[in-house]
Amino acid sequence: MSPRHQEALGHLLYGTGQYGGFVQLTGEVGTGKTTIVRTLLEQKLSDVDVAMIHNPRQSEQEFVQSICDELNVPYQREGATLKTLVDALNEHLLRAHAAGRRTVLIIDEAQNLTPGVLEQVRLLTNLETSKEKLLRIMLIGQPELSALLARPDLRQLASRITARYHLTPLSAQETREYVEHRLRVAGCRAPIFSPRALDLVHRYSRGVPRLINIICDRALLGAYAQHLRTVDAKTVRKAAREAMGALPQVFDPGAPLRWRWIEAAWLVALLVCTALFIYSYTRDEPLLATVHPAAPQPSPPPPPTDATTDTATDTPPPVLMPKLPLATIEDLERTAQPLSIVVGRLIRLWEPRLVIPSGENVCAALRVRALECYRTQGEWTDLEQMDRPAILTLKLPGSGEQHFLLLELGKEHALLDTVLGPLRLRRADLDSVWSGEFLLLWRRPTQWTYVGPGSSGPDIPTLWRRLAESSGVPVPTPVPTQFDERLAAALKSFQAERGLVADGVAGIRTLIALSDGLPDTPTLSGGRP
């Protein structure tokens, strides 16, 4: 399993745990959702009963009846009603809970559920004790499931989902590793697919495991029929055409020379058009100024001077948020990007040349460079206080949960980074779709992310220095290396000054405030109007 498949399995395992509740797993056709569910069922989880619904095309009563059948719930089949079925299911769940067992309902192809059945799913989540839910539910489906749950009439159900994960296709490197792994499992010890062939497998399959399997299987059969010991690009191209019909338009470095010339000609034409656009854009304004010169304006009178005050020094004007036209939530629907791309853009604001290999834990890799991830719930005032670019989790009406990078934050507007460039939106409009969840990066000034009673070492002098630089606190001589009452009092004073909880310890929020002014620190306030 790729790292993203392992993470998806982790979300499902969380859903079976003591505090698991309502989990949603989505992914395109063939990305491995059913395989992950099968892997979950093979875990042989102790004290867990599972009801698996494969066919969601049922009425509300048939749906509850299928759950009862899966769990072997006894009920009167003659004249059964929806009420009697729910009552029998509730009694069974209470008995299972008393016996220390957890019950999990997994619904595959959940995008095909009717609104009526989805409402019944919501009602089933009401079966609970005073401390926990009796029925843990997992919805497995295609991306249309997110759009379905975004409907206004299903907002009550969507608000109960406690964990969401979208399974994306494999990267080029993961595709190569996946093919090589399956060959090793089959007993192959020598490379069979050439590097260019594997590259084409990824391009044609777009990283979807099901298509990878089909293309590779046809390619192996084709190589066998031609008595070849290796699968080359030509064989993969033919196999993909047989398996998929019309091939997707991808750049193929091994395509016939004639098509490569055509692709090169289109590329040159695109570059020329781009250059002409940039040239015309950069020369239009001065050209207009020459043809239509502005009328001379009278010089403003000098400001009054006061002999009793010092002469005012010139101060540079503040940098304002670009006056882009206001965008709407509908504009965001068309500009959403995968979370991995949004995270990459946030990282580049801090470390422009940093590249984190695919599959590596992002926050762990950043921690080596003294950068920390901070994910929490909050409000605009929290973002203003921390003053760091952040990734907002938005629940859009048409596409469900999406993530956008917040570049600048003003009193009434916010600037979001999108695939089409920055968009300027009203904060009031974003309030309707922002869940309050955000992720930001911060550069820690200390070795640890918590300094309090019992702490010692180089972090203590560092804290004293940062407090002196930030609020003018005098540093004791000699500088202590142990956390003491003097440092606690200095921290309380600093926290009260910054509007933080004055607890006298240096936690994440306090350390973020103390990291203000560190080199190469991007902020939200640089463009605040």
Side-chain angles (χ1 to χ4, degrees):
M1 293 171 62
S2 72
R4 65 201 69 190
H5 287 85
Q6 294 174 8
E7 189 172 352
L9 178 60
H11 277 70
L12 297 188
L13 287 171
Y14 161 78
T16 66
Q18 180 180 357
Y19 302 105
F22 204 156
V23 178
Q24 172 187 324
L25 173 63
T26 56
E28 284 291 350
V29 176
T31 49
K33 302 183 297 297
T34 304
T35 302
I36 291 173
V37 172
R38 192 179 302 120
T39 304
L40 173 71
L41 298 178
E42 291 172 354
Q43 300 291 314
K44 301 189 184 302
L45 301 169
S46 59
D47 302 324
V48 175
D49 299 324
V50 178
M52 184 75 187
I53 304 297
H54 295 280
N55 176 23
R57 291 288 190 182
Q58 304 180 53
S59 67
E60 298 169 45
Q61 180 168 332
E62 291 171 339
F63 176 74
V64 179
Q65 192 167 356
S66 297
I67 299 174
C68 293
D69 292 339
E70 283 284 311
L71 296 173
N72 296 318
V73 177
Y75 62 91
Q76 183 179 356
R77 296 184 178 273
E78 293 293 333
T81 65
L82 185 58
K83 180 182 182 305
T84 59
L85 290 170
V86 172
D87 290 344
L89 178 61
N90 189 36
E91 290 179 11
H92 173 85
L93 294 176
L94 287 171
R95 288 195 300 270
H97 175 73
R101 301 190 65 81
R102 301 187 296 276
T103 306
V104 179
L105 170 63
I106 303 176
I107 307 173
D108 201 6
E109 302 296 340
Q111 76 278 355
N112 293 323
L113 291 171
T114 63
V117 174
L118 281 170
E119 175 62 15
Q120 186 60 50
V121 171
R122 184 186 71 82
L123 295 175
L124 290 179
T125 63
N126 292 332
L127 303 178
E128 58 186 358
T129 66
S130 58
K131 293 185 177 181
E132 61 181 280
K133 300 289 185 182
L134 293 175
L135 187 62
R136 293 149 178 82
I137 299 176
M138 300 180 186
L139 297 180
I140 317 296
Q142 296 169 18
E144 292 84 354
L145 176 61
S146 297
L148 177 63
L149 295 177
R151 289 174 41 164
D153 56 325
L154 295 175
R155 63 186 183 278
Q156 288 185 326
L157 175 64
S159 66
R160 301 193 180 193
I161 296 176
T162 56
R164 293 177 174 85
Y165 191 82
H166 182 70
L167 192 60
T168 55
L170 302 179
S171 66
Q173 178 63 27
E174 290 169 339
T175 299
R176 288 192 292 272
E177 293 172 353
Y178 174 67
V179 173
E180 292 166 357
H181 167 75
R182 294 197 58 144
L183 290 173
R184 284 196 301 271
V185 171
C188 177
R189 295 294 178 265
I192 289 182
F193 286 80
S194 70
R196 204 170 80 186
L198 286 174
D199 182 60
L200 280 185
V201 169
H202 172 72
R203 291 172 185 268
Y204 288 134
S205 67
R206 289 188 164 89
V208 176
R210 181 181 298 170
L211 292 178
I212 295 173
N213 294 344
I214 294 173
I215 293 173
C216 288
D217 182 72
R218 296 292 301 177
L220 287 170
L221 182 62
Y224 170 76
Q226 300 174 69
H227 305 287
L228 301 175
R229 298 188 64 85
T230 58
V231 177
D232 56 15
K234 180 180 178 181
T235 305
V236 168
R237 200 178 297 113
K238 182 179 179 182
R241 188 176 293 108
E242 292 175 353
M244 304 172 63
L247 293 180
Q249 295 297 318
V250 300
F251 174 72
D252 181 359
L257 189 59
R258 176 170 61 90
W259 292 108
R260 294 182 65 183
W261 275 111
I262 293 175
E263 289 172 347
W266 275 108
L267 179 60
V268 170
L270 178 62
L271 291 175
V272 170
C273 292
T274 303
L276 289 173
F277 172 78
I278 294 173
Y279 174 72
S280 62
Y281 180 82
T282 56
R283 70 185 288 270
D284 275 350
E285 184 144 352
L287 180 62
L288 290 174
T290 302
V291 177
H292 307 287
Q297 298 293 329
S299 300
T305 59
D306 188 347
T308 62
T309 60
D310 295 333
T311 302
T313 57
D314 292 335
T315 57
V319 179
L320 300 181
M321 181 182 294
K323 292 301 182 183
L324 298 172
L326 282 175
T328 64
I329 299 301
E330 289 73 19
D331 295 324
L332 288 182
E333 297 275 9
R334 299 188 291 270
T335 58
Q337 304 173 89
L339 178 58
S340 58
I341 294 179
V342 182
V343 172
R345 290 179 179 270
L346 175 61
I347 292 173
R348 282 194 290 275
L349 293 178
W350 291 84
E351 297 278 354
R353 298 183 180 180
L354 177 61
V355 177
I356 298 178
S358 176
E360 189 172 339
N361 185 290
V362 174
C363 292
L366 293 173
R367 197 169 296 122
V368 177
R369 307 177 74 93
L371 276 174
E372 293 288 336
C373 300
Y374 182 45
R375 182 176 182 178
T376 186
Q377 292 272 347
E379 300 177 351
W380 296 116
T381 52
D382 296 294
L383 290 169
E384 288 174 345
Q385 187 182 68
M386 288 182 279
D387 198 19
R388 302 290 186 272
I391 296 175
L392 306 183
T393 301
L394 306 183
K395 295 182 179 180
L396 303 181
S399 55
E401 186 173 286
Q402 300 292 344
H403 301 86
F404 290 87
L405 175 57
L406 176 66
L407 294 174
E408 295 177 5
L409 184 61
K411 294 181 180 179
E412 297 182 357
H413 302 94
L415 198 68
L416 301 183
D417 179 63
T418 72
V419 69
L420 297 179
L423 292 182
R424 182 168 168 261
L425 290 95
R426 292 187 180 90
R427 279 168 46 162
D429 293 340
L430 290 171
D431 283 335
S432 63
V433 294
W434 183 33
S435 65
E437 180 181 291
F438 63 87
L439 166 73
L440 56 78
L441 301 181
W442 62 284
R443 194 180 300 280
R444 63 177 186 270
T446 55
Q447 180 180 359
W448 305 107
T449 56
Y450 174 87
V451 183
S455 300
S456 61
D459 280 352
I460 306 303
T462 299
L463 275 184
W464 278 113
R465 287 193 297 270
R466 294 304 303 167
L467 285 168
E469 295 170 2
S470 300
S471 55
V473 173
V475 180
T477 305
V479 182
T481 58
Q482 296 280 342
F483 191 94
D484 56 19
E485 291 298 326
R486 293 174 297 175
L487 182 54
L491 282 171
K492 287 181 180 179
S493 176
F494 173 80
Q495 290 165 336
E497 176 187 329
R498 294 297 185 98
L500 301 168
V501 177
D503 54 7
V505 297
I508 290 178
R509 294 289 290 268
T510 300
L511 290 174
I512 291 176
L514 286 169
S515 68
D516 286 346
L518 290 179
D520 302 322
T521 298
T523 65
L524 290 174
S525 58
R528 183 174 297 167

